[in-house]
Amino acid sequence: MKRLLLRARAHLRDAAKPVTDAAIGGLTIGLLRTTRYFDPEKTARFFGRAAHFIGRRLREDRIGRENLTAAFPEKSPQEIEDILTGVWHNLGRIGAEFAHIDRIWDHDPQNPDKPGRVEFSARSKQLFDQLRDDGKPALFFAAHLGNWELSPIAAAAHGLDATILFRRPNIEAADRAIERIRAVNLGTLVPAGRDAPLKLAQALQRGQHVAMLVDQYLTNGVPVTFFGRKTTANPLLARLRRQIDCPIHGTRIIRLPDGRFRGEVTEEVKPVFDASGQIDIQGTMQAITDIVEGWVREYPDQWLWLHRRWR
């Protein structure tokens, strides 16, 4: 009897999935469209508070607290809670800002002293201009830090020919809604999948720039240490570097007060070579992971602690 009940429940869930997905997709479309009618900063503050209110009642809140406690054993429970509050606010703000993603990047390279939402250091601008104008391919990595959705906008807005690896939402209708916004001035988007490594390698061979997020847990990834604990990382970036000789740079968009951001590009990250002179995949991914850890330690409330980073 129990087996029959479980089977019936599974059939009902499968039958209801198209309706549920359509409802969620419709809600996503409506929310994104409605949000675009309101002031980006006021909406972002509201979404931040709403995400905090709702998020503290979700399973992800416990995951975030466990992750933070493991990463920062020296911090008090109150310090952990303060960071986690910032995490939820940051995530909610990203949701609101995503609806305005084609408008929010207002940096004018012809008038860099003009007040706006975005600022750069002189060195980051120098590195960016050099990578854009040298006619050579390059690899960029980023993390779920600050507003990571703005990095592709920055590249496209300033003329960097970029191919971006991204992961599609599981719900098709929501995916279509998000794609319509992402398609605005974001370069070439390559969805994660079996053929993604080939497409990215071809982009590098054409002299383009390839960018991806590198801070997610991957079951079959290479072993790395993150915050003193063993985990695994996606080796794709290092494998691409093994195929194509090109520089590796990190990039991040840091959230500042009053709805502003600071864009940064790191110095070149030198790959690690093994005894035979080939790129050491594990060693190179560890070097990249060390940079990401440094970023997160600097702004712990702006990183996405809400997913399982260690298994």
Side-chain angles (χ1 to χ4, degrees):
M1 177 63 72
K2 184 177 180 180
R3 183 177 297 177
L4 287 174
L5 288 173
L6 291 173
R7 189 174 298 172
R9 184 184 300 174
H11 285 314
L12 286 172
R13 185 176 62 246
D14 292 343
K17 188 175 186 302
V19 178
T20 304
D21 286 358
I24 294 175
L27 180 62
T28 302
I29 293 170
L31 189 61
L32 289 173
R33 286 177 175 172
T34 302
T35 302
R36 288 173 68 84
Y37 288 103
F38 296 93
D39 176 80
E41 177 54 20
K42 291 180 180 178
T43 308
R45 288 198 298 267
F46 173 78
F47 272 49
R49 292 191 295 269
H52 178 247
F53 177 80
I54 296 169
R56 300 312 291 261
R57 292 154 176 79
L58 301 179
R59 179 177 65 94
E60 285 74 14
D61 192 68
R62 175 179 56 80
I63 294 173
R65 187 175 296 103
E66 291 173 353
N67 284 341
L68 281 162
T69 302
F72 298 107
E74 75 283 2
K75 292 189 181 297
S76 69
Q78 185 57 55
E79 288 175 310
I80 295 297
E81 293 303 316
D82 290 344
I83 293 172
L84 193 54
T85 294
V87 171
W88 283 114
H89 276 268
N90 184 64
L91 187 60
R93 293 182 72 94
I94 291 171
E97 290 158 357
F98 189 81
H100 298 272
I101 199 168
D102 57 331
R103 309 168 179 172
I104 205 167
W105 193 267
D106 62 354
H107 181 78
D108 183 359
Q110 305 303 322
N111 190 11
D113 296 327
K114 179 182 177 182
R117 296 190 185 96
V118 185
E119 66 180 47
F120 294 96
S121 69
R123 180 56 178 160
S124 287
K125 184 179 186 309
Q126 180 185 24
L127 286 166
F128 182 93
D129 291 346
Q130 175 184 318
L131 290 162
R132 181 194 59 201
D133 300 335
D134 64 8
K136 301 176 183 178
L139 284 160
F140 288 93
F141 65 88
H144 291 86
L145 184 77
N147 190 332
W148 57 88
E149 293 284 359
L150 290 178
S151 291
I153 287 284
H158 298 277
L160 186 80
D161 189 8
T163 298
I164 316 294
L165 179 69
F166 79 105
R167 187 173 299 278
R168 291 186 183 279
N170 292 329
I171 298 172
E172 184 178 353
D175 178 33
R176 290 197 300 270
I178 292 171
E179 277 299 283
R180 280 197 288 271
I181 293 179
R182 273 184 168 154
V184 178
N185 203 25
L186 279 180
T188 302
L189 299 176
V190 173
R194 291 184 178 180
D195 60 346
L198 176 60
K199 290 181 178 179
L200 297 177
Q202 289 173 340
L204 290 170
Q205 290 168 349
R206 292 193 298 268
Q208 295 177 320
H209 307 85
V210 165
M212 66 189 72
L213 293 160
V214 294
D215 57 338
Q216 292 173 298
Y217 176 88
L218 184 67
T219 303
N220 299 318
V222 296
V224 294
T225 300
F226 187 61
F227 279 87
R229 304 177 69 194
K230 296 295 183 183
T231 184
T232 55
N234 189 334
L236 177 57
L237 187 141
R239 287 176 176 168
L240 288 170
R241 176 60 182 82
R242 178 180 276 185
Q243 295 179 52
I244 291 105
D245 183 8
C246 64
I248 301 172
H249 291 266
T251 181
R252 61 175 176 168
I253 304 294
I254 302 164
R255 185 179 299 284
L256 301 175
D258 301 322
R260 297 170 58 251
F261 304 91
R262 181 168 67 248
E264 292 185 356
V265 178
T266 71
E267 300 292 336
E268 181 179 354
V269 179
K270 297 295 184 181
V272 178
F273 293 87
D274 60 23
S276 67
Q278 275 199 320
I279 298 292
D280 183 328
I281 302 296
Q282 187 277 332
T284 299
M285 291 313 304
Q286 182 62 66
I288 290 169
T289 300
D290 289 344
I291 292 172
V292 172
E293 179 177 331
W295 288 347
V296 177
R297 286 187 180 276
E298 191 176 1
Y299 297 97
D301 59 334
Q302 295 191 26
W303 192 60
L304 191 64
W305 293 95
L306 308 175
H307 62 284
R308 291 288 185 186
R309 188 62 183 92
W310 300 278
R311 296 289 174 101

